[in-house]
């Protein structure tokens, strides 16, 4: 098997628009694992939002891995234990609360299986609830109540507006934190050096594997680094134009079982260059 490690973004990639893995995609991913392949789920979602999909794909049985929070946490599915964790520096949530107020955005973070926010009914907060299937818990004062260690905070607003906010927030922290958008309307703030490619590099070193043995699928802004890093970077047809521009291959959309199409084709012996003419 040329690509022994299969890295999958979740929303817009592995799952369809109902946030579900289709039966055909599930069948192909099971066949891939039965043939000796190993799956890595790589998402901006918190760990509690990734784990149910790992269970669906039986990743404990096949010894897969989960990269949550864009790779700030790496979980060994067989043991359920983290092999890597990173946390935001103390005081950052309070600074982000000030920035969210200044730029009129919503703000959230996570604790266990809860999403914590002052604005639980906000449109973009509810999008995160749908994505992660986590509970949302209203807090009264983000600055005062978020005093425990957190991995990620997220600012949310209309995508056109948030693109400008991204530049300002990144400039405020002067490169000391990782600031990027996973969706046009989600601006994620994490510890410095955290992105999917950096965490996949850590995982490959842990496994003693080379990136030439890895293929990665994604559709969003936060997938760019891993598509450029992997031996084969696959963008979904529904992906952001900037992501499709750097991919080695464009798969059918998440609504058309794009992941399953590529995995099945490669397992049947087709070479990547034989697929490029179709999408």
């Amino acid at each position: 098997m040329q690509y022994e490690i299969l890295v999958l973004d979740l929303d817009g990639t592995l799952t369809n628009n109902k946030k579900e893995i289709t039966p055909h995609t599930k069948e192909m991913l099971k066949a891939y694992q039965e043939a000796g392949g190993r799956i890595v789920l790589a998402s901006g979602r918190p760990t509690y939002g990734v784990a149910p999909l790992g269970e669906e794909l039986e990743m404990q049985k096949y010894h897969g891995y989960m990269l949550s929070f864009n790779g700030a946490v790496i979980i060994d599915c067989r043991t359920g234990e983290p092999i890597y964790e990173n946390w935001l520096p103390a005081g950052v949530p309070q600074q982000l609360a000030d920035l969210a107020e200044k730029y009129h955005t919503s703000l959230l973070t996570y604790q266990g299986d809860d999403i914590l926010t002052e604005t639980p009914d906000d449109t973009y907060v509810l999008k995160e609830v749908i994505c992660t299937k986590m509970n949302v818990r209203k807090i009264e004062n983000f600055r005062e109540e978020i005093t425990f260690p957190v991995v990620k905070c997220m600012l949310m607003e209309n995508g056109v507006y948030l693109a400008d906010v991204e530049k300002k927030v990144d400039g405020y922290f002067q490169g000391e934190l990782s600031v990027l958008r996973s969706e046009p309307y989600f601006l994620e703030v994490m510890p410095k050096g955290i992105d999917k490619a950096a965490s996949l590099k850590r995982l490959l070193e842990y496994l003693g594997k080379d990136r030439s043995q890895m293929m990665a699928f994604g559709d969003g802004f936060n997938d760019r680094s891993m598509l450029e890093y992997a031996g084969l970077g696959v963008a979904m047809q529904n992906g952001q134009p900037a992501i499709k521009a750097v991919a080695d291959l464009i798969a059918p959309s998440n609504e058309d079982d794009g992941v399953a199409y590529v995995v099945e084709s490669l397992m049947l012996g087709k070479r990547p260059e034989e697929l490029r003419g179709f999408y």
Side-chain angles (χ1 to χ4, degrees):
M1 185 180 292
Q2 181 179 0
Y3 300 107
E4 299 178 17
I5 299 173
L6 170 59
V7 185
L8 298 167
D9 171 59
L10 304 187
D11 303 301
T13 301
L14 172 62
T15 64
N16 61 18
N17 293 344
K18 295 179 181 179
K19 308 299 180 184
E20 299 170 342
I21 307 174
T22 67
H24 180 53
T25 295
K26 196 177 299 185
E27 177 187 358
M28 286 302 101
L29 293 179
K30 181 177 180 181
Y32 171 80
Q33 292 177 108
E34 288 284 355
R38 186 171 291 187
I39 291 176
V40 179
L41 300 183
S43 176
R45 290 188 191 187
T47 305
Y48 278 89
V50 180
L53 296 177
E55 292 170 5
E56 273 194 67
L57 296 175
E58 301 182 75
M59 289 173 58
Q60 180 180 19
K61 174 182 176 180
Y62 295 108
H63 204 172
Y65 291 84
M66 296 186 297
L67 274 62
S68 55
F69 296 109
N70 277 318
V73 177
I74 305 176
I75 301 290
D76 182 331
C77 293
R78 177 165 290 180
T79 65
E81 296 298 319
I83 62 172
Y84 175 80
E85 289 182 292
N86 205 338
W87 308 90
L88 282 170
V92 167
Q94 288 67 39
Q95 292 173 287
L96 289 171
D98 292 340
L99 292 171
E101 183 175 334
K102 179 178 181 179
Y103 297 122
H104 308 289
T105 69
S106 298
L107 176 66
L108 63 76
T109 192
Y110 311 87
Q111 185 179 40
D113 59 356
D114 287 335
I115 295 170
L116 308 183
T117 182
E118 294 179 8
T119 56
D121 298 321
D122 177 82
T123 298
Y124 300 106
V125 172
L126 294 176
K127 285 181 180 290
E128 178 69 349
V129 172
I130 292 169
C131 284
T132 62
K133 297 181 172 61
M134 293 172 67
N135 303 312
V136 62
R137 175 154 54 94
K138 178 178 172 59
I139 57 176
E140 298 301 324
N141 191 309
F142 198 94
R143 292 178 187 83
E144 295 179 1
E145 296 182 51
I146 308 303
T147 57
F148 49 88
V150 298
V151 175
K152 180 180 85 172
C153 294
M154 191 154 70
L155 293 87
M156 296 152 291
E157 193 37 82
N158 170 273
V160 175
Y161 176 71
L162 201 61
D164 186 53
V165 173
E166 178 181 7
K167 297 174 187 175
K168 293 174 180 176
V169 172
D170 194 31
Y172 175 87
F173 289 109
Q174 299 182 336
E176 291 303 310
L177 296 177
S178 177
V179 179
L180 55 86
R181 283 184 295 156
S182 55
E183 297 285 353
Y185 42 79
F186 287 164
L187 179 60
E188 307 192 356
V189 180
M190 294 162 294
K192 183 178 180 178
I194 293 300
D195 67 23
K196 292 184 180 182
S199 289
L200 287 171
K201 184 174 185 292
R202 293 183 184 97
L203 180 60
L204 287 176
E205 289 171 353
Y206 177 82
L207 295 174
K209 300 290 185 180
D210 185 80
R211 65 180 182 170
S212 64
Q213 299 169 284
M214 170 188 289
M215 60 175 163
F217 289 72
D219 73 302
F221 296 115
N222 63 331
D223 298 320
R224 178 171 183 155
S225 67
M226 76 171 184
L227 264 59
E228 292 178 319
Y229 178 74
L232 181 67
V234 185
M236 309 303 289
Q237 183 63 51
N238 53 286
Q240 298 291 334
I243 304 309
K244 292 194 281 187
V246 302
D248 299 307
L249 177 69
I250 309 298
S253 78
N254 66 319
E255 285 289 279
D256 296 316
D257 287 329
V259 169
Y261 173 84
V262 174
V263 171
E264 183 176 18
S265 297
L266 294 177
M267 287 180 64
L268 291 173
K270 290 188 178 181
R271 297 186 300 274
E273 57 268 24
E274 293 181 287
L275 305 179
R276 288 180 184 145
F278 294 101
Y279 296 94

